[in-house]
Amino acid sequence: MIPPARHVSSHLQVQVKSTADLVFSVAVSGDHPGLSESLIFRLDGEEIEAEEQLDSSRSRLHRLRETAPGTLTVDYEADVPQPAPAAQLQGIDEILYTRPSRYCDSDRLANLGATHFAGLTGYELMSAVTQWVRTKVSYQPGSSRVVDGALETYLSRVGVCRDSAHLVIAFLRGLNMPARLVSVYAPGLVPMDFHAVVEAWHDGAWHLLDATGLAPRDSMVRICTGRDAADTAFMTTLAGSTRLRRIRVDARVDGELPYDDKFSFRTLS
Amino acid sequence: MIPPARHVSSHLQVQVKSTADLVFSVAVSGDHPGLSESLIFRLDGEEIEAEEQLDSSRSRLHRLRETAPGTLTVDYEADVPQPAPAAQLQGIDEILYTRPSRYCDSDRLANLGATHFAGLTGYELMSAVTQWVRTKVSYQPGSSRVVDGALETYLSRVGVCRDSAHLVIAFLRGLNMPARLVSVYAPGLVPMDFHAVVEAWHDGAWHLLDATGLAPRDSMVRICTGRDAADTAFMTTLAGSTRLRRIRVDARVDGELPYDDKFSFRTLS
Amino acid sequence: MIPPARHVSSHLQVQVKSTADLVFSVAVSGDHPGLSESLIFRLDGEEIEAEEQLDSSRSRLHRLRETAPGTLTVDYEADVPQPAPAAQLQGIDEILYTRPSRYCDSDRLANLGATHFAGLTGYELMSAVTQWVRTKVSYQPGSSRVVDGALETYLSRVGVCRDSAHLVIAFLRGLNMPARLVSVYAPGLVPMDFHAVVEAWHDGAWHLLDATGLAPRDSMVRICTGRDAADTAFMTTLAGSTRLRRIRVDARVDGELPYDDKFSFRTLS
Amino acid sequence: MIPPARHVSSHLQVQVKSTADLVFSVAVSGDHPGLSESLIFRLDGEEIEAEEQLDSSRSRLHRLRETAPGTLTVDYEADVPQPAPAAQLQGIDEILYTRPSRYCDSDRLANLGATHFAGLTGYELMSAVTQWVRTKVSYQPGSSRVVDGALETYLSRVGVCRDSAHLVIAFLRGLNMPARLVSVYAPGLVPMDFHAVVEAWHDGAWHLLDATGLAPRDSMVRICTGRDAADTAFMTTLAGSTRLRRIRVDARVDGELPYDDKFSFRTLS
């Protein structure tokens, strides 16, 4: 289906305690035709300039190299009237996204994936893994830590969206299917926040999987694509000391939210 | 100093048990002027073609997508008469290589690094971290596992070159210095094998650090550059089943091996 | 000093979902002269009988082997007019409490303890370890998991009383000092709950250490003594399925709470 | 069957580098009628006296509190003409041996055990768990570390006898069956060494399980009984510095070794 027009925004307020080198990943990526957007950084009310950098998956990162102490605000707004073209396989994606990464420790989970999903491949594998994580891992805010990887989630069986996504990815990679994390704006998500979902490469497409089922996939808008949450965090402090004081995310569609049966295969658009 | 001319080679013999998708990383990278090399893949004696792909750090990966069961051999030889130009900072390197990765779990070690290296930055930090790992971590073949990361090495205090390198990297990243793993041919290494060392970005250069001190840095030749051993493994099995049966690495220089004081700062050339 | 008379109580309400084998550890132990107490178990309002068992440290465990589904309540009250005699070394205590245990993984922390407390022994060691944990580990309810051991607390630097106690114990054992966990009633604790503290054997006495400093040690009353929280949990479900629905703990002294300087050495009485 | 007469011995040579507090667990326990034995400790050739202590499972520990630097030898020999009476349930064994312990982290493995052995109890459970570990975990000397627990073995699927035993125990405890580690002399074991097996309590007996199947259970002789290898190590250094330089274990039977079908239930005698 053609996704409806989407309107997304985010607002961050960060206390910079000592001069900081910061990276933000809040802007929509993916070449949406007709995209109109605004991204404004202000330090103590005064507008400052960020440097935009593209990562190897063409996510847009915004960097503030020497942010003086003070109150930093980040205001992003975008109108997304049209879907983005389907993501393609680039460079060494197949290799990169099949390897283990910090929070998707597929090498540790290899035996476990083989136990649970023996003999499955392709669409069946994607369905089975997503379904397994959906039914076995309880969504429970506050139950996980930012240092937790997929093995931890496998053992504890609780987590938030990033944890479920990491476990799906780790299982898929362990069974040789390229898989990656995507941070998205997700109209319909309750409570509204940044969301984390999975893209798995099979049969010529990056299939969009969401074990949480908390928002319709057809209206999600891509922000950042990477190996795991280490690559896609909406804010990274490379140097200095900061404290996130406020975060507000909004995402909605024109008209009704699309229906998601949670079983059919979709791509992010 | 100008590194001497180097001659390197590697030979792998792999039993492919079921049709396999394989990636090899054994070829020299880094734009050495006058490089002459040969890389030959043979399946049951018959030459087969590999596809060359560059990763985001311009390492050369060679992929054999559908390798039939049989005996695969990989033979690589290179004469490296000239040094490569110094590696530069590319794209989002500063961001990429400051983040935690699979085997450099700098987020877990952040408090520890702060304890051991409080207040140090730049050259002092690189020296102190390298020295710490050199004196605290015993080189002991067979003592570590391929799934071990830097935290494990920190706790057990034993490992091989990749473990020491991972720990150096994790400490540096935890203290906001970009650092990455490089697999190299290392003339002088005993016993001869592929070697793993560290590059840390500071003051406009990628400084070459080797906590093991097992070979002179001036004669090392770059193979693969990445976040950690997940990126730089000389062989990765993306699909299928394989068994490495033989590996032989050779690396030597014309004339005498350069002397390495293990303390001064060098770059890989 | 002579501890004041103490009055303690606890009330648990447990939903037994399927026939359960339960162990409770809520009763005061330690041979207090003049102790008067009452411990009543009720299933759906009807009083039922528990079996009392002593563990090797003479803690009193109360077991309900076949508890039918329903609402179980546990009501304990005790008046403790007199101090208990000082705990002695029994049987193989020195051996038992120097070994690593489930949540006091002193074998993993051995190198770390040696780093932080090199050369310290006896009273100095106890002081240094307690002080280190007090200043480095933040007390933060909800920050830790029941499966966390001392290494986890060392890395994350947050936790509750049991986490701090486990870390103190692990450090001490790693440096060859017998140490154990004691669950106590702790007049003055805010918010009131069961509390976990440490006893370390040195110079002929079990010294009472509390890295949290949240309540005066002189008025604490011993409940259960063991290797770690696996031994001292106030409720253990050996079989069946249960859910703790309410817990209320109370502990107070006659007159004023004793003052605790947090530095001098005390024993539990 | 009635076990044959057994003859066992062990010889240890330990270099004591600094004054050490040592515990040995090499002597047969279990009240064998007619047992004749000799246990001799020598420091630099001179006989010294050890103190015998019983742990809560009546294992015999021998302690040398202040062993001066030098060469310590331990020589043990025993003739065991008669079987020991069957082990009984004592004190809080059911509670103690159902709880998680250092190397049997049943709390971490609870979900996994439920996955693999859903619905099984009693004899079926013991058979299924033993069989699972026997077929899934490869016996591979040098593949594991002394700090590894059952979770690690579950993930890596390799180990030695103690690792297999820890995993069996952790699974059983996670499913509420009391289980414990026993170190034994094992006639028929190749290569000869101390061996580690499991006792599980069910239906009024401690059933002897050995996932390795490396020696007949009917001729094994109990040394030490405990929660896991932290309790049963043949040598523990409580203080000081030591180095084990030689170990030689011998165990044989009069006549032929009994046959072990590896499936029927046996008890240690």
Side-chain angles (χ1 to χ4, degrees), chain B residues 188-207:
Chain B
L189 186 68
V190 178
M192 180 50 67
D193 201 344
F194 292 115
H195 193 41
V197 293
V198 175
E199 281 187 321
W201 180 257
H202 175 66
D203 198 12
W206 282 108
H207 298 283

Side-chain angles (χ1 to χ4, degrees), chain A residues 2 15 18 48 60 64 81 126 144 150 155 160 179-180 191 193 214 223-224 234 243 252 267:
Chain A
I2 298 172
Q15 185 186 356
S18 67
I48 58 174
R60 296 160 65 202
L64 296 172
M126 287 187 281
S144 59
L155 294 171
V160 296
R180 61 191 191 181
D193 202 343
L214 290 174
I223 303 169
C224 192
F234 64 84
R243 184 186 166 85
R252 58 193 175 78
T267 55

Side-chain angles (χ1 to χ4, degrees), chain B residues 139-167:
Chain B
Y139 186 85
Q140 199 175 303
S143 62
S144 60
R145 297 175 177 144
V146 293
V147 296
D148 288 345
L151 173 59
E152 192 57 45
T153 304
Y154 179 80
L155 294 171
S156 68
R157 307 273 162 107
V158 292
V160 295
C161 60
R162 63 170 252 163
D163 302 302
S164 292
H166 285 156
L167 184 51

Side-chain angles (χ1 to χ4, degrees), chain D residues 88-167:
Chain D
Q88 299 302 315
L89 203 63
Q90 299 179 334
I92 62 156
D93 277 3
E94 272 180 294
I95 300 170
L96 189 70
Y97 292 124
T98 306
R99 286 172 168 160
S101 64
R102 175 64 187 91
Y103 303 115
C104 299
D105 38 357
S106 46
D107 48 341
R108 293 285 275 168
L109 283 160
N111 287 320
L112 305 181
T115 299
H116 291 299
F117 309 108
L120 300 182
T121 58
Y123 291 103
E124 280 190 324
L125 176 63
M126 287 188 280
S127 288
V129 167
T130 307
Q131 189 64 5
W132 193 97
V133 174
R134 182 174 297 150
T135 55
K136 305 284 190 186
V137 176
S138 306
Y139 186 86
Q140 200 175 302
S143 61
S144 60
R145 297 175 177 143
V146 293
V147 295
D148 289 343
L151 174 58
E152 194 56 47
T153 304
Y154 179 80
L155 293 171
S156 68
R157 306 273 163 106
V158 291
V160 295
C161 60
R162 62 170 251 162
D163 301 302
S164 292
H166 286 155
L167 184 51

Side-chain angles (χ1 to χ4, degrees), chain C residues 122-213:
Chain C
Y123 291 104
E124 280 190 325
L125 176 63
M126 287 187 280
S127 288
V129 167
T130 306
Q131 190 64 6
W132 194 96
V133 174
R134 182 174 296 149
T135 54
K136 305 283 190 187
V137 177
S138 307
Y139 186 87
Q140 199 175 302
S143 61
S144 59
R145 296 176 177 142
V146 292
V147 296
D148 288 345
L151 173 59
E152 194 55 48
T153 304
Y154 180 80
L155 293 171
S156 68
R157 307 272 163 106
V158 293
V160 296
C161 59
R162 63 169 250 162
D163 301 303
S164 293
H166 285 156
L167 185 50
V168 168
I169 293 170
F171 276 142
L172 294 176
R173 289 186 191 165
L175 295 159
N176 300 316
M177 184 179 283
R180 62 190 189 183
L181 194 78
V182 188
S183 63
V184 294
Y185 287 101
L189 187 68
V190 177
M192 180 50 68
D193 202 344
F194 291 115
H195 193 42
V197 293
V198 175
E199 281 187 321
W201 180 258
H202 176 66
D203 197 13
W206 282 108
H207 298 283
L208 180 58
L209 310 174
D210 181 2
T212 73

